[in-house]
Amino acid sequence: AGFLDTHPNAVTAAILSAPMLEINTGIYGAIGADILANVLKFIGLSTNYAPGQKPFNPNAKFEDNKTIASRNRFAADQALYNKFPQIRVGGTTVNWVKESLEYTTSLRQKDNVYQVPTIILQAGSDQLVEAHGQNQSCGYSPNNCKIIKFAGAQHEILMERDVIRDSAIQVLRQFIESN
């Protein structure tokens, strides 16, 4: 979405999969998370993990993950990260949260982000991003932006259970063929 905003003529159509237009700040809420991030940054902790965040866990359990509902794809994902540790990503830092909150708040209030046909694949059970941000952002461009919601999908829609992933791939194919 940010690329589309800054490079409106770079593509003729766009597909966004569970875009982070509003992060889930949990019990803190957006305002509380922003205040906490500012305080932690002020006292010199901006590069520390944000509260509740941790480093990558090579022994993570499927039941504890918040991104994939497919046990097989979760296992494949973990195997890939364990084979190539250089691609591992841990939790977010305080500064990442602060910058993300500021950037996405601004981005989702712009009315010219989607100047080309755009679909947003929305995960119905996303625990990382809020659907509200996607709805708000897309709502400013109703002629160019359409949301396709996948009930039961977690954040990684294209790594989901077959029934969800296959449906998403079908939507992608139809969109690509028509644009």
Side-chain angles (χ1 to χ4, degrees):
F3 180 81
L4 293 174
D5 181 47
T6 57
H7 299 84
N9 300 313
V11 297
T12 58
I15 300 166
L16 307 177
S17 181
M20 188 195 76
L21 294 166
E22 182 176 359
I23 60 174
N24 180 353
T25 54
I27 62 170
Y28 300 101
I31 294 171
D34 188 51
I35 291 169
L36 182 57
N38 282 319
V39 169
L40 293 173
K41 184 175 179 177
F42 179 77
I43 62 174
L45 301 177
S46 65
T47 59
N48 288 22
Y49 285 110
Q53 298 292 303
K54 304 175 213 168
F56 176 82
N57 178 0
N59 301 308
K61 295 183 169 102
F62 171 73
E63 295 76 19
D64 297 332
N65 98 86
K66 296 179 178 182
T67 60
I68 303 170
S70 166
R71 184 176 296 276
N72 290 340
R73 291 195 180 94
F74 174 81
D77 207 34
Q78 285 296 105
L80 185 65
Y81 287 133
N82 288 327
K83 184 174 181 177
F84 300 102
Q86 66 272 26
I87 66 171
R88 293 177 179 170
V89 178
T92 60
T93 64
V94 168
N95 198 56
W96 184 92
V97 170
K98 179 174 176 25
E99 294 295 321
S100 294
L101 286 169
E102 289 175 8
Y103 182 75
T104 58
T105 297
S106 170
L107 182 63
R108 71 176 177 264
Q109 295 174 359
K110 292 184 174 184
D111 62 2
N112 62 346
V113 173
Y114 309 107
Q115 296 182 33
V116 297
T118 302
I119 58 170
I120 292 178
L121 307 181
Q122 189 176 79
S125 297
D126 202 323
Q127 297 178 62
L128 303 182
V129 301
E130 299 285 353
H132 171 266
Q134 297 163 358
N135 296 339
Q136 181 183 17
S137 178
C138 194
Y140 283 111
S141 303
N143 294 329
N144 286 332
C145 186
K146 180 179 179 186
I147 291 178
I148 315 267
K149 185 172 182 173
F150 295 89
Q154 291 192 38
H155 187 67
E156 296 291 346
I157 296 168
L158 297 175
M159 299 229 358
E160 267 296 345
R161 293 169 283 139
D162 287 350
V163 66
I164 294 171
R165 188 192 66 157
D166 292 351
S167 178
I169 290 172
Q170 183 62 30
V171 167
L172 298 177
R173 283 183 176 151
Q174 289 171 350
F175 183 76
I176 290 167
E177 289 170 2
S178 68
N179 289 287

